[in-house]
Amino acid sequence: MGWGDLGVYGEPSRETPNLDKMALEGMLFPNFYSANPLCSPSRAALLTGRLPIRNGFYTSNGHARNAYTPQEIMGGIPNSEHLLPELLKKAGYTNKIVGKWHLGHRPQFHPLKHGFDEWFGSPNCHFGPYDNKVKPNIPVYRDWEMVGRFYEEFPINLRTGEANLTQLYLQEALDFIKTQHARQSPFFLYWAIDATHAPVYASRPFLGTSHRGRYGDAVREIDDSVGKILSLLQNLGISKNTFVFFTSDNGAALISAPKEGGSNGPFLCGKQTTFEGGMREPAIAWWPGHIAAGQVSHQLGSIMDLFTTSLSVAGLKPPSDRIIDGLDLLPTLLQGHMMDRPIFYYRGNTLMAVTLGQYKAHFWTWTNSWEEFRQGTPGDPDSGTHFDWKGIDFCPGQNVSGVTTHTQEEHTELPLIFHLGRDPGERFPLSFASAEYQDTLSRITQVVQQHQKSLIPGQPQLNVCNQAVMNWAPPGCEKLGKCLTPPESVPEKCSWAH
């Protein structure tokens, strides 16, 4: 989802009444960021409180390349990382993930091996349908075993957009909350739905109900689901004991626009890029009786802060044996305190940009290659063979000369600097000769040097692919008669186009 997909951020159709109400009852963050412009690294950062360059969720196969976890990937979340559910478990929490995991699908990367007690959802994106002999459809798991596959036992109608997955995910969430309440057990629910990821889907009651087409239908169903979850917490009388945060893993995928792409509001470009549209996210904190209603905080926030803040809410401290990038936002949430902190924008192994206060400096700019832009890339996992895209464009209708570039452009000597308060669309870089530029460059340079001095990159997990490790025969496939024969194992270097 994009920053501009919520009514409270100015979406003109105002089709998110429950999320807007959540904001009115809690705290809205206009300046909240993911840790990466792509799904898997962002989720790894959320659950570890660490930048992907530290936790290994990046590739070094090419300079500044985005990478994630398609079914061919050999890697996943390393055992050396401490995930939020693992730490909460030590304090007696019961933990559940509903929806997309996306941190590796081989047995050692299973969520129940990394602190979760329950799982209903998928290890990868809902791409498909594929010929089972060439590429298996993605499995849906109930805890340790698959219970079916997308497009088979869990259909998504590509023609109409109908699928009841969000309703299944909603019921899982509601049942889990009721069960933990009955047990009087503290719980952590990671509700990672994916209806707004192409191919976009919604259940029948929501199809055709939005002014924004099928994508809007999916947003409306997610909004309705959030309303039902918050209502249950209130009806059970546990809302004052439950900290809830809503956000997204990256900006709206404008490559899917206009039919299956969302809105990034006034911000430049979208998913896959390190412009504001790729990494600035909708973000709402809700905790009745603790967070005063109707607040807007201009604190620079990060998805990694959810790791540290959640531990703080549970009375725990983050691990002290490693660098944690997430801040504890409780002083902001409870007292309105503002904290100085930079936001680092990485694309793969490369620091592309940094925001400090109102200023953002780009050290590298790149959207995608001329070849992709002009021709498209058939069969690319993030374009999907079932879409009729003529070219890959992460910034449709947005061309800023010298800023949105189809070749990798280096600006490390003289970064492009924007004042995001005056120019949220990153269209008017400051003059190199101005005193404002020189002062800002001096402050940002100091922050970058300090960051790079202490940076020890993790072992890259997204470098090696192998057709043999795809979801041919996940646990439980025998019971369903859904096992497929894997091909010969041939590990090879992953090729990342973006």
Side-chain angles (χ1 to χ4, degrees):
M1 286 180 74
W3 192 93
D5 281 331
L6 274 60
V8 74
Y9 287 114
E11 194 281 307
S13 300
R14 309 290 289 188
E15 292 180 343
T16 54
N18 294 289
L19 287 164
D20 297 349
K21 182 170 181 274
M22 182 183 179
L24 289 172
E25 293 175 351
M27 182 177 281
L28 184 72
F29 287 87
N31 306 311
F32 195 88
Y33 293 86
S34 72
N36 192 266
L38 206 57
C39 39
S40 299
S42 174
R43 289 158 191 261
L46 184 157
L47 291 176
T48 63
R50 286 154 55 81
L51 285 163
I53 192 74
R54 296 195 212 274
N55 64 37
F57 255 67
Y58 69 99
T59 183
S60 57
N61 286 356
H63 181 262
R65 300 282 172 165
N66 289 323
Y68 71 115
T69 57
Q71 353 182 21
E72 297 90 338
I73 203 77
M74 293 280 288
I77 196 69
N79 272 332
S80 56
E81 291 297 318
H82 296 318
L83 273 63
L84 177 58
E86 293 173 39
L87 300 170
L88 290 173
K89 202 176 181 73
K90 293 176 182 175
Y93 278 72
T94 302
N95 310 305
K96 178 161 186 160
I97 169 173
V98 175
K100 187 168 76 169
W101 169 237
H102 228 31
L103 298 185
H105 61 278
R106 296 169 73 206
Q108 66 267 42
F109 306 126
H110 194 290
L112 270 60
K113 287 199 172 178
H114 291 274
F116 285 102
D117 300 290
E118 299 179 24
W119 180 27
F120 180 80
S122 63
N124 314 89
C125 266
H126 55 281
F127 295 128
Y130 301 108
D131 180 341
N132 273 344
K133 293 170 187 172
V134 178
K135 217 170 192 183
N137 277 321
I138 304 299
V140 175
Y141 276 78
R142 161 83 60 201
D143 299 334
W144 290 108
E145 296 187 343
M146 70 175 282
V147 288
R149 296 184 189 268
F150 286 140
Y151 302 98
E152 297 172 25
E153 290 74 20
F154 296 91
I156 301 171
N157 188 315
L158 294 178
R159 187 179 59 81
T160 65
E162 182 178 349
N164 70 338
L165 287 166
T166 301
Q167 291 304 307
L168 294 178
Y169 292 154
L170 170 62
Q171 198 57 52
E172 289 289 325
L174 299 177
D175 290 348
F176 176 71
I177 292 168
K178 289 174 189 171
T179 300
Q180 301 318 309
H181 172 61
R183 291 176 179 168
Q184 295 191 307
S185 167
F187 63 87
F188 167 54
L189 171 63
Y190 177 36
W191 196 62
I193 72 283
D194 61 2
T196 50
H197 190 299
V200 167
Y201 62 81
S203 62
R204 187 172 296 174
F206 291 91
L207 284 176
T209 64
S210 168
H211 291 288
R212 304 175 61 205
R214 192 180 296 178
Y215 182 89
D217 297 342
V219 171
R220 289 200 68 241
E221 184 166 17
I222 290 170
D223 176 79
D224 181 77
S225 299
V226 170
K228 286 184 167 68
I229 290 170
L230 298 184
S231 292
L232 176 63
L233 294 172
Q234 289 171 320
N235 293 338
L236 292 176
I238 57 173
S239 59
K240 290 186 178 179
N241 296 332
T242 311
F243 172 66
V244 185
F245 203 97
F246 177 90
T247 189
S248 176
D249 60 349
N250 46 246
L254 301 186
I255 189 173
S256 309
K259 291 186 178 177
E260 301 204 57
S263 166
N264 294 315
F267 304 119
L268 186 62
C269 299
K271 178 181 176 178
Q272 298 266 17
T273 77
T274 48
F275 299 111
E276 291 298 285
M279 289 182 57
R280 201 186 293 212
E281 310 306 332
I284 303 168
W286 186 87
W287 193 9
H290 299 270
I291 298 172
Q295 295 188 87
V296 176
S297 174
H298 292 280
Q299 169 70 44
L300 288 181
S302 166
I303 205 163
M304 296 179 291
D305 300 342
L306 298 181
F307 173 88
T308 318
T309 306
S310 298
L311 291 175
S312 186
V313 168
L316 301 171
K317 297 209 177 298
S320 58
D321 63 343
R322 62 199 61 208
I323 290 177
I324 301 294
D325 296 292
L327 295 181
D328 179 3
L329 290 180
L330 274 192
T332 300
L333 295 166
L334 304 182
Q335 287 102 32
H337 291 178
M338 298 286 284
M339 295 171 274
D340 283 333
R341 66 96 63 85
I343 296 293
F344 297 107
Y345 304 69
Y346 272 88
R347 187 167 176 153
N349 59 355
T350 304
L351 181 62
M352 303 287 286
V354 173
T355 287
L356 192 63
Q358 293 282 333
Y359 293 95
K360 180 177 181 182
H362 289 268
F363 305 107
W364 288 86
T365 52
W366 186 41
T367 53
N368 56 301
S369 71
W370 276 117
E371 183 185 10
E372 293 174 302
F373 180 65
R374 288 175 177 145
Q375 300 174 14
T377 307
D380 176 75
D382 252 2
S383 64
T385 52
H386 45 269
F387 296 114
D388 186 26
W389 285 323
K390 303 302 182 192
I392 291 176
D393 189 354
F394 302 137
C395 313
Q398 297 178 306
N399 177 34
V400 183
S401 181
V403 179
T404 54
T405 56
H406 293 291
T407 54
Q408 293 190 17
E409 299 292 333
E410 185 173 6
H411 310 279
T412 50
E413 294 300 316
L414 278 177
L416 300 179
I417 299 180
F418 298 89
H419 186 290
L420 294 177
R422 298 194 298 260
D423 178 24
E426 297 170 275
R427 285 164 174 80
F428 307 104
L430 302 182
S431 165
F432 296 143
S434 67
E436 184 180 18
Y437 180 92
Q438 296 299 332
D439 175 60
T440 303
L441 179 59
S442 172
R443 290 188 292 114
I444 288 180
T445 299
Q446 197 174 353
V447 166
V448 171
Q449 288 174 344
Q450 188 179 349
H451 168 67
Q452 292 179 331
K453 191 176 173 183
S454 66
L455 180 64
I456 302 172
Q459 186 71 26
Q461 296 294 307
L462 308 180
N463 277 353
V464 183
C465 288
N466 187 346
Q467 296 277 323
V469 305
M470 297 200 304
N471 295 287
W472 301 102
C477 67
E478 311 87 353
K479 298 177 186 174
L480 301 170
K482 304 296 284 190
C483 301
L484 304 169
T485 305
E488 182 186 353
S489 179
V490 183
E492 58 186 2
K493 209 173 173 180
C494 300
S495 176
W496 301 110
H498 313 313

